[in-house]
């Protein structure tokens, strides 16, 4: 998918003067996650990339991807994980008279959905534990594109609109707009250490859409002619 994206940029190059572009943003699926290893960050650092070569020749997918493919936003096999997460958060934070689904909705904005990142991550933890152990970063397709365009060796987290569609982000008045601890623990079977690691995997969430995620990466500047400078900002890709 993302290699096709860069190929499309190459086709645009014939008709577009990239030096005139002041900022870049876009849209991509929020309900698919890509699991990245610790080697990913060094691989996407423009300081180590050769602008004369396409990215496809410089990435070793077996080393940078903990899982060879993203989760499918149409996947409906995580019903069990949805119910478990609702029951766990209800046991920790539920109010008398509310159902488990209502507790989840009050905290995250919706009851648990099969395609959402929380249940999908929980399924990976339960069913693909060796994959989980290799994972250092969990990226949405949308935030992954933001990361790729910045190309500076840092993984960008999702913006708040996408984070709120994961069944992990606390939108409640008392929750403080942050990753919900009870839900993080639910994903990893109650393990506090793994819940802390999961928080780090997900990364920080930008709550202000006016804030740039970074500047266009050096690889893109050299290969496609984007101008250098802080004004050439990358703003978070978000859901379609």
């Amino acid at each position: 998918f993302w290699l096709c994206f860069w190929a499309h940029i190459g086709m645009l190059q014939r008709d577009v003067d990239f030096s005139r572009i002041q900022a870049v943003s876009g849209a991509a699926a929020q309900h698919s996650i890509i699991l990245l290893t610790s080697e990913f960050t060094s691989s996407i650092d423009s300081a180590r990339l050769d602008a004369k070569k396409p990215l496809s020749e410089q990435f070793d997918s077996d080393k940078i991807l903990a899982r060879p493919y993203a989760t499918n936003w149409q996947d409906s096999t995580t019903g069990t994980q949805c119910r478990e997460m609702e029951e766990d958060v209800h046991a920790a934070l539920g109010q008398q008279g509310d159902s488990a689904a209502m507790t989840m909705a009050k905290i995250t904005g919706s009851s648990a959905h099969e395609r959402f990142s929380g249940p999908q991550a929980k399924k990976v933890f339960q069913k693909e534990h060796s994959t989980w152990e290799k994972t250092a970063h969990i990226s949405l397709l949308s935030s992954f594109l933001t990361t790729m365009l910045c190309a500076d060796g840092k993984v960008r987290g999702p913006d708040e609109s996408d984070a709120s569609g994961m069944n992990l982000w606390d939108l409640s008045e008392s929750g403080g707009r942050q990753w919900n601890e009870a839900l993080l623990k639910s994903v990893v079977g109650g393990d506090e250490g793994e819940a802390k690691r999961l928080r780090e995997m997900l990364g920080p969430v930008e709550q202000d859409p006016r804030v740039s995620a970074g500047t266009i990466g050096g690889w893109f500047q050299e290969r496609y002619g984007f101008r250098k400078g802080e004004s050439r900002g990358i703003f978070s890709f978000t859901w379609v």
Side-chain angles (χ1 to χ4, degrees), residues 177-192:
R177 292 168 67 184
Q178 61 183 327
W179 301 118
N180 181 274
E181 187 67 21
L183 289 168
L184 296 179
K185 288 181 181 178
S186 178
V187 169
V188 295
D191 187 315
E192 291 188 4

Side-chain angles (χ1 to χ4, degrees), residues 9-18:
I9 288 182
M11 288 187 287
L12 285 175
Q13 191 176 23
R14 295 175 298 190
D15 303 310
V16 176
D17 179 0
F18 284 98

Side-chain angles (χ1 to χ4, degrees), residues 1 29 51 55 91 94 103 124 144 146 150 161 178 196 207 220:
F1 164 76
L55 292 179
T103 298
V124 173
F144 180 75
T146 306
C150 290
S161 66
Q178 61 183 327
K196 180 180 179 181
Q207 298 180 15
F220 294 95

Side-chain angles (χ1 to χ4, degrees), residues 31 78-79 81-87 89 99-119 164-169 171 183:
H31 296 309
T78 58
Q81 287 76 23
C82 286
R83 303 292 80 76
E84 289 175 350
M85 289 183 69
E86 288 179 343
E87 292 297 336
V89 75
S99 66
M102 179 58 73
T103 298
M104 175 71 88
K106 284 184 174 181
I107 292 170
T108 70
S110 65
S111 58
H113 286 275
E114 286 86 352
R115 66 183 180 273
F116 280 18
S117 302
S164 64
M166 298 173 71
N167 281 145
L168 294 172
W169 186 252
L171 292 168
L183 289 168

